[in-house]
Amino acid sequence: MLDQDPRSLLERLEAHRQGGYLSLHMPGHKENTALAPYLAQLGAQWDITELPGFDDLHDPEGILAQAMDRAARLFGSRKSWLQVNGSTGGLLAAVRAATRRGDTVLVARHCHKAIYHALELCGLTPVFLQAPVVEGLGITGSLTPDQVAQALAAHPEARLLVYPSPTYDGVVSDTAGICAVAHAQGVPVLVDEAHGAHLGLHPAFPQNAMALGADLAVASLHKTLPSLTQTALLHASGQRVPLPQVARQTGIFQSSSPSYLLMASIDSCLRLLEDQGEALCAAWARRLEEFDRQIQGLQFLRCPGHGAAVGEAIPGVFAWDPTKILISTRDSALTGVELKDRLRAEYHIEVEMALDHYAVAMTGLGNGDDMPSRLAQALLALDREAGPRQGEPLPPAEPYTLPPRKLGLEEAAMGPGGLTFLYDAMGKVSGEYIWAYPPGIPLVTPGEEITVDLVETVERLYQAGVRLIGTRGKPPFTTFALGESQP
């Protein structure tokens, strides 16, 4: 159906609100914002269902189909789908569309937990690839084409490759090189681009995954662009994973009653990018350049890829996403968690996350011109006040040794077991995930052995103030291990 109405989805929602319709359809608040103050505050006046002229996310023909076409043009895909269940729903759909139960999948170990849930739900056999640890920073670096080539040689039965780029820390992998290697073996590539919806929108940012040859990519609009939380896009090239299958799966992993507030947010964001994206992203890039100029005086805190380190080659890092500001505290008297807490308490600056030896400040299109100086001046002051690290320097970060796998992921996750003290569980098989969250990279997955190295890592992170999450236990005190009686 050809939709001739030139108005945006938000404009149509407002026109409907002013039309004086009697609502005898979902939702139950009936757009009656006088019923309770919170309804108006939450925008319930625009919260409707699939009425004539508003299209259907699961059978788009009108304005929502146009929004998907707009997304495909902006990001260079053959087809894009609006996601109201965040990148999580898009990743679940993409993995399901590209695989069949029992398939072997090459998975970067530093993937988000949504990928692990997809492996579990789809009954897949993961082969984990560990990107190198970046020396002097202790973060996960870029996955390399050589690693992928070696993994495919050892596992020619693999049916999919999945990895994140950029990572939570802003590390970008060589997607063009990786895709060339995987495609030579007929293996499709899914890039978790949740943190990279802005990629390709300005020359200061790396190219996006679709431009570099990925078969599937999922990007969270809300993470860096002006769209509401829980909004994302799923992109597909259609070359190695059939588009009808992707469409079917994205319908399975999203609500059958999608929020028009979220869809209007996506539609409006895409229109803004189409009309003003070049100028807005240029201003964003200028703010980042200004920040780089202002932090030249840092002595103990480090911001790789920024300040004096702009353009500096770092072994293990193919490229940086400049919109992420990683602040290393390894040479400072501060820990990453202390830095995060002091920025909040003393400067009213909320950063995205912190671990024991670094923090991440995530900039976005919505940051104003005050951002560079506010963050830079705070870092310079804390750098002076804290001074250098006292005592022995931190030991070089070693690659994390993956626990040996004893059972399949799905089998272990559904297996009988019980809660036990983590220290008492050494040698047992884990029935749960343990994450340092954020960023949500599992230290152990169901079916892997609970080892001494794992317990020591969990204890070290806990002592440093890092937030640890278990799916059934409370690390480091308890964990869910197989073979115990149910609690």
Side-chain angles (χ1 to χ4, degrees):
M1 178 179 67
L2 186 62
D3 191 334
Q4 300 292 346
D5 192 335
R7 294 175 297 179
S8 71
L9 181 53
L10 187 59
E11 290 169 333
R12 295 188 198 192
L13 290 169
E14 175 60 14
H16 176 79
R17 182 189 72 81
Q18 295 181 8
Y21 290 90
L22 172 63
S23 172
L24 295 177
H25 55 77
M26 297 184 293
H29 56 64
K30 307 303 180 186
E31 301 141 51
N32 178 10
T33 56
L35 179 65
Y38 69 84
L39 291 173
Q41 293 168 350
L42 294 174
Q45 64 269 28
W46 300 312
D47 185 28
I48 64 167
T49 190
E50 290 86 351
L51 301 177
F54 289 94
D55 212 355
D56 181 345
L57 181 63
H58 298 289
D59 186 23
E61 295 181 319
I63 190 169
L64 298 181
Q66 292 170 9
M68 294 179 190
D69 290 344
R70 183 173 286 109
R73 290 194 302 271
L74 279 167
F75 296 99
S77 70
R78 183 175 170 190
K79 185 75 175 178
S80 295
W81 290 266
L82 311 188
Q83 300 294 300
V84 296
N85 192 27
S87 282
T88 293
L91 291 168
L92 291 168
V95 171
R96 179 74 183 273
T99 60
R100 299 296 176 267
R101 186 163 292 274
D103 279 354
T104 297
V105 180
L106 304 183
V107 182
R109 182 69 177 206
H110 59 297
C111 276
H112 184 265
K113 66 179 182 177
I115 294 297
Y116 289 85
H117 292 159
L119 298 174
E120 182 183 327
L121 288 171
C122 298
L124 303 173
T125 301
V127 173
F128 292 120
L129 308 183
Q130 282 193 278
V133 174
V134 181
E135 186 176 350
L137 294 177
I139 65 170
T140 301
S142 304
L143 191 69
T144 69
D146 284 346
Q147 284 181 285
V148 174
Q150 292 171 17
L152 287 172
H155 299 276
E157 75 281 8
R159 292 294 177 264
L160 179 67
L161 167 65
V162 188
Y163 65 94
S165 180
T167 68
Y168 209 102
D169 302 329
V171 174
V172 175
S173 290
D174 180 6
T175 291
I178 288 170
C179 287
V181 169
H183 292 165
Q185 304 300 318
V187 175
V189 175
L190 163 60
V191 179
D192 176 356
E193 206 170 41
H195 286 272
H198 58 287
L199 298 191
L201 296 179
H202 188 271
F205 309 147
Q207 288 184 286
N208 66 43
M210 298 311 295
L212 296 171
D215 299 278
L216 298 159
V218 181
S220 289
L221 289 175
H222 72 91
K223 284 183 168 62
T224 57
L225 299 177
S227 190
L228 293 179
T229 295
Q230 204 171 308
T231 57
L233 296 170
L234 167 57
H235 306 297
S237 71
Q239 292 185 321
R240 293 166 188 83
V241 181
L243 295 178
Q245 187 62 256
V246 181
R248 177 173 181 269
Q249 297 303 331
T250 195
I252 289 173
F253 288 101
Q254 296 203 87
S255 170
S256 59
S257 302
S259 166
Y260 270 85
L261 297 177
L262 296 180
M263 292 188 289
S265 173
I266 297 173
D267 178 63
S268 299
C269 179
L270 294 172
R271 289 170 184 267
L272 179 68
L273 292 176
E274 194 171 59
D275 295 340
Q276 304 177 45
E278 184 175 351
L280 290 171
C281 288
W284 186 4
R286 287 195 298 272
R287 293 183 191 108
L288 294 169
E289 291 172 356
E290 178 60 27
F291 172 78
D292 291 341
R293 285 192 291 271
Q294 292 197 29
I295 63 166
Q296 297 287 336
L298 287 178
Q299 298 184 65
F300 312 111
L301 296 174
R302 294 175 57 202
C303 296
H306 288 279
V310 170
E312 177 185 342
I314 297 180
V317 176
F318 175 75
W320 293 103
D321 169 12
T323 72
K324 309 288 190 303
I325 301 173
L326 187 146
I327 310 161
S328 174
T329 63
R330 291 179 69 88
D331 298 328
S332 167
L334 295 169
T335 68
V337 175
E338 289 169 344
L339 175 65
K340 178 179 185 288
D341 291 344
R342 291 191 63 178
L343 283 170
R344 185 178 196 276
E346 299 173 29
Y347 298 92
H348 284 200
I349 295 174
E350 297 274 18
V351 297
E352 173 65 20
M353 61 85 72
L355 289 178
D356 52 340
H357 59 286
Y358 71 94
V360 174
M362 184 184 297
T363 71
L365 196 59
N367 281 126
D369 290 337
D370 64 332
M371 181 276 292
S373 59
R374 282 191 66 181
L375 180 57
Q377 294 307 311
L379 292 179
L380 288 166
L382 290 173
D383 185 70
R384 290 191 301 268
E385 293 170 17
R389 176 180 174 81
Q390 301 298 313
E392 295 294 323
L394 286 175
E398 298 291 338
Y400 178 62
T401 302
L402 294 184
R405 178 158 297 281
K406 301 297 184 181
L407 287 175
L409 191 64
E410 182 183 25
E411 179 186 3
M414 301 298 290
L419 292 174
T420 184
F421 289 112
L422 182 61
Y423 284 92
D424 293 340
M426 286 187 286
K428 298 181 184 297
V429 176
S430 178
E432 68 166 330
Y433 299 89
I434 296 178
W435 288 291
Y437 205 87
I441 301 167
L443 300 169
V444 68
T445 70
E448 293 177 337
E449 183 181 336
I450 298 170
T451 64
V452 174
D453 284 347
L454 169 67
V455 173
E456 289 178 346
T457 298
V458 169
E459 178 66 22
R460 175 179 58 80
L461 292 172
Y462 175 75
Q463 292 298 334
V466 175
R467 185 183 179 210
L468 296 164
I469 295 178
T471 42
R472 291 192 267 190
K474 291 187 177 296
F477 305 108
T478 61
T479 190
F480 193 92
L482 301 187
E484 302 288 332
S485 60
Q486 289 282 2

